Amino acid sequence: MSNGVLRDLTIKEVALINLIAAGLTARDIAHTSSAYNSTEAARKAIEHLLRKTGAGHRLQLTAWATAAKTVPGPVRESKALSCAPKIPPRMLEILQGWTDGLATEEIRHGLGTAQDSMDTYIRTLQVHLDVDSPEQAVVVAVLAGLVHVALPGAPLPAALGSAP
């Protein structure tokens, strides 16, 4: 990765980011990757990676890695990348919140919605983006230009960084 703290990642950490972006849990990672011999080892590696990068959670890390081109794309083709998906504003808020480092619960409270409604929004969002996980929804959203990703250590755009 080329921006800020993301440029100092090892090959093993980059591989772990790609597993996270694929939507794998710590348990899934422990079962599919020989680099982690237990769920606990995978969980600790994920926690270390989040601390090292400063990402608030897996979804923000996925957004950063996708924007930095470390995650090359979704694990399977998404129709949302070949034709611009029509995503309702509330679902765009969820995607942008994840990208900005907000936890799903924080986004839910900010939207003033019930847990059942939030779960429905997330499932519907995954259908709209033709993906199987929130992480893959973030990958597709970044690649489709549906969200703005502020990479850590990246300079502000001139319009935002200049004084009036």
Side-chain angles (χ1 to χ4, degrees):
M1 291 182 168
S2 59
N3 293 77
V5 297
L6 298 176
R7 72 173 171 259
D8 298 325
L9 298 175
T10 66
I11 292 171
K12 185 176 177 180
E13 290 167 335
V14 169
L16 179 58
I17 287 173
N18 277 277
L19 293 171
I20 291 167
L24 273 63
T25 65
R27 182 173 179 250
D28 296 334
I29 291 168
H31 285 100
T32 59
S33 172
S34 60
Y36 306 99
N37 59 3
S38 70
T39 299
E40 183 64 15
R43 187 189 60 73
K44 285 182 178 181
I46 293 167
E47 288 174 3
H48 169 76
L49 190 54
L50 292 172
R51 280 192 308 276
K52 181 176 179 177
T53 61
H57 51 74
R58 297 165 50 104
L59 295 167
Q60 185 177 39
L61 180 61
T62 296
W64 289 351
T66 304
K69 302 195 183 339
T70 296
V71 172
V75 293
R76 65 176 177 77
E77 279 301 313
S78 169
K79 292 178 279 192
L81 291 175
S82 59
C83 63
K86 299 282 189 226
I87 306 295
R90 182 141 295 195
M91 291 180 202
L92 287 173
E93 288 180 62
I94 293 168
L95 284 167
Q96 190 62 57
W98 285 338
T99 301
D100 292 342
L102 298 176
T104 302
E105 188 66 13
E106 292 174 291
I107 298 166
R108 185 180 74 76
H109 284 294
L111 294 174
T113 189
Q115 184 63 51
D116 288 347
S117 296
M118 187 66 163
D119 293 343
T120 300
Y121 285 138
I122 292 170
R123 282 192 305 274
T124 304
L125 178 61
Q126 288 174 216
V127 169
H128 277 287
L129 295 177
D130 189 28
V131 296
D132 299 320
S133 69
E135 291 84 359
Q136 285 290 282
V138 168
V139 170
V140 170
V142 170
L143 294 174
L146 298 173
V147 293
H148 170 74
V149 181
L151 289 170
L156 289 174
L160 296 176
S162 58

